[in-house]
């Protein structure tokens, strides 16, 4: 098993050098390389040139921190065809970068529009027609997660879609902070995923459904905005004792990423504490 850090909170104030050295100093051996404006920003073309890629490769060697996965986010299921085609172009460049970095794992989200599910799904399949042959050629594995406000938000539905892709390089990513948006309980989703579960994003969150849906007040009333957090373990309402037991029961042996995003004011101690907990509690960690 690999325990990785998603250093997303460093993207505003840390250089690549600072990010990699911080991960190494905390004891991480792997990172999940997510959005940075100087590498691959949200939803737009990657900005990294050959020199930037070479710099990261040098820092990996210098710090001993490897890339467990790369996580670009593009609108590959957008109902707008121009946006979808642009996203596929961005994916091709992101794959180029991932290959050059020597990483064979990419993660992403379903994207799209939950209010236009059928159209989004059709767009997703058009993108898969291009992306699947490319990742197969490069030997890259791709894990996809259902995210709040994607065209697929429910865990079981996401597993069905991944199985419909029917390719050994494509797997399921379960994010604990999205558990209350996935409808089915954690155990049901994780056990149903079985060997298709390849990657975990681990952080805590509150149950937005509590108080008859009034845990968080959103205005205007009736808005369909989604609310969740990415907190340190123990700061939310996930039953982590149950979660550890589920992972033991299914004999999970994939990649687990620390995905704490909500606590930039105590970022370094949060990352350190999460590594300690995961190292102690994950099976085979």
């Amino acid at each position: 098993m690999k325990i990785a850090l998603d250093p997303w909170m460093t993207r505003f104030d840390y250089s690549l050098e600072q990010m990699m050295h911080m991960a190494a100093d905390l004891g991480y051996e792997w990172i999940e390389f997510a959005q940075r404006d100087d590498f691959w920003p949200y939803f737009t073309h990657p900005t990294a040139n050959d020199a930037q890629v070479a710099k990261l490769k040098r820092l990996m060697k210098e710090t001993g921190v490897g890339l467990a996965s790369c996580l670009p986010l593009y609108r590959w299921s957008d109902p707008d065809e121009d946006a979808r085609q642009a996203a596929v172009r961005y994916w091709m460049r992101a794959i180029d970068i991932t290959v050059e970095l020597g990483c064979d794992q990419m993660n992403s989200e379903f994207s799209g529009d939950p209010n236009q599910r059928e159209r989004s799904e059709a767009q997703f399949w058009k993108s898969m027609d291009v992306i699947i042959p490319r990742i197969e050629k490069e030997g890259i594995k791709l894990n996809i997660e259902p995210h709040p406000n994607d065209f697929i938000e429910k865990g079981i539905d996401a597993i069905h879609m991944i199985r419909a892709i029917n390719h050994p390089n494509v797997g399921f990513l379960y994010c604990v902070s999205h558990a209350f948006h996935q409808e089915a309980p954690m155990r049901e989703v994780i056990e149903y995923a079985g060997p298709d579960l390849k990657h975990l994003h681990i952080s805590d969150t509150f149950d937005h459904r509590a108080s008859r849906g009034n845990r968080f007040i959103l205005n205007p009333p009736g808005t369909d905005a989604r609310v969740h957090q990415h907190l340190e373990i123990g700061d939310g309402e996930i039953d982590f004792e149950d979660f550890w037991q589920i992972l033991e029961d299914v004999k999970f042996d994939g990649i687990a990423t620390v995905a704490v995003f909500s606590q930039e004011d105590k970022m370094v101690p949060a990352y350190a504490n999460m590594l300690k907990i995961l190292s102690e509690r994950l099976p085979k960690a």
Side-chain angles (χ1 to χ4, degrees):
M1 178 182 294
K2 293 178 181 177
I3 297 175
L5 170 67
D6 181 342
W8 183 85
M9 289 191 290
T10 69
R11 72 189 186 100
F12 302 102
D13 300 315
Y14 279 53
S15 66
L16 278 176
E17 290 89 346
Q18 290 171 319
M19 177 188 81
M20 294 296 286
H21 281 280
M22 180 203 69
D25 291 344
L26 290 174
Y28 284 91
E29 297 178 4
W30 304 95
I31 66 166
E32 177 162 14
F33 193 32
Q35 297 73 41
R36 286 182 59 95
D37 288 347
D38 61 356
F39 228 93
W40 29 46
Y42 278 108
F43 308 126
T44 57
H45 194 281
T47 55
N49 60 9
D50 291 345
Q52 190 78 333
V53 172
K55 178 191 292 186
L56 182 54
K57 291 173 70 176
R58 173 181 60 78
L59 288 167
M60 291 163 58
K61 185 175 181 181
E62 180 180 302
T63 61
V65 176
L67 299 189
S69 52
C70 295
L71 199 167
L73 292 178
Y74 305 122
R75 303 185 194 278
W76 57 358
S77 305
D78 200 292
D80 179 81
E81 177 61 10
D82 286 343
R84 187 201 68 82
Q85 290 187 22
V88 171
R89 289 194 297 273
Y90 306 157
W91 261 103
M92 294 299 103
R93 176 58 181 152
I95 292 170
D96 290 342
I97 293 171
T98 301
V99 171
E100 181 61 27
L101 290 171
C103 182
D104 66 355
Q105 179 69 62
M106 300 183 80
N107 295 329
S108 200
E109 302 166 0
F110 280 102
S111 184
D113 182 348
N115 299 312
Q116 300 184 66
R117 176 164 177 171
E118 290 186 8
R119 174 62 177 164
S120 295
E121 179 174 334
Q123 295 290 83
F124 177 77
W125 284 115
K126 288 167 71 173
S127 297
M128 290 299 100
D129 287 343
V130 178
I131 290 169
I132 295 299
R134 178 71 195 284
I135 65 168
E136 181 177 35
K137 175 185 175 184
E138 304 293 354
I140 288 175
K141 300 176 182 66
L142 173 64
N143 295 324
I144 309 173
E145 65 168 308
H147 195 281
N149 207 48
D150 283 0
F151 81 90
I152 295 180
E153 300 177 278
K154 298 176 182 179
I156 300 297
D157 288 353
I159 296 163
H160 289 162
M161 180 63 75
I162 286 163
R163 290 175 179 166
I165 295 170
N166 196 30
H167 196 284
N169 287 32
V170 182
F172 176 59
L173 189 159
Y174 185 82
C175 179
V176 181
S177 274
H178 304 159
F180 299 120
H181 287 275
Q182 293 201 20
E183 188 174 77
M186 284 192 301
R187 178 173 289 277
E188 183 177 340
V189 175
I190 291 172
E191 288 184 344
Y192 189 70
D196 291 316
L197 176 63
K198 306 295 185 182
H199 202 124
L200 299 168
H201 284 173
I202 301 181
S203 52
D204 211 337
T205 193
F206 292 113
D207 187 350
H208 66 282
R209 305 166 303 176
S211 298
R212 301 179 186 271
N214 291 312
R215 168 62 65 81
F216 303 98
I217 306 301
L218 300 175
N219 289 307
T223 182
D224 64 354
R226 275 62 164 172
V227 176
H228 70 285
Q229 300 78 33
H230 284 250
L231 306 170
E232 269 190 83
I233 289 172
D235 287 352
E237 295 173 320
I238 294 291
D239 183 347
F240 273 96
E241 289 305 314
D242 185 42
F243 178 66
W244 307 129
Q245 186 60 54
I246 295 167
L247 298 185
E248 289 278 4
D249 292 346
V250 301
K251 297 179 172 58
F252 177 77
D253 193 25
I255 302 172
T257 294
V258 169
V260 175
F261 303 154
S262 305
Q263 292 153 291
E264 190 176 341
D265 57 324
K266 54 176 183 176
M267 175 178 65
V268 172
Y271 286 161
N273 185 49
M274 288 289 290
L275 178 60
K276 181 177 184 294
I277 294 172
L278 267 60
S279 298
E280 293 173 349
R281 300 306 304 268
L282 283 175
K284 301 182 182 178

